[in-house]
Amino acid sequence: AALKLTELRLDGSLAGPWVQELKVVCDPVLAEGNTLKIDCGGISFVDAAGISLLQGLRSKGAKLVNCSPFIKLQLAENGEQSRKQSAP
């Protein structure tokens, strides 16, 4: 079967129960080897769990587009912290 592109546009808050909801939607798409593109342009708030999920999805191959400067900064800072923690 041909690989599919799934595109999601996020709006509002990526926090609390919405983090798990996004995970439930995205994990099967990535597990099937399909391409996942997440448009973060409509996110008005993201909590630490949301940033962690976005990092995890990105590491599994999801493409994050239209991230605000704040979200880009959070993704970069949290990525640095996790690399430092995993270093010997």
Side-chain angles (χ1 to χ4, degrees):
L3 295 181
K4 295 181 284 190
L5 168 64
T6 299
E7 294 186 68
L8 300 175
R9 176 172 166 81
L10 305 182
D11 288 298
S13 292
L14 180 55
W18 299 113
V19 175
Q20 182 61 28
E21 187 68 25
L22 181 62
K23 182 174 172 38
V24 166
V25 169
C26 293
D27 279 351
V29 173
L30 294 170
E32 291 172 7
N34 293 319
T35 302
L36 177 61
K37 181 175 161 185
I38 301 173
D39 184 339
C40 299
I43 296 176
S44 57
F45 175 79
V46 61
D47 66 7
I51 290 293
S52 180
L53 176 61
L54 290 176
Q55 286 176 314
L57 293 172
R58 186 172 62 182
S59 72
K60 293 176 187 174
K63 293 176 177 58
L64 306 180
V65 299
N66 295 328
C67 293
S68 70
F70 175 76
I71 292 175
K72 286 180 186 174
L73 181 64
Q74 293 298 308
L75 289 169
E77 284 182 359
N78 286 348
E80 281 297 316
Q81 287 173 356
S82 63
R83 279 193 290 276
K84 287 177 185 169
Q85 288 171 357
S86 65

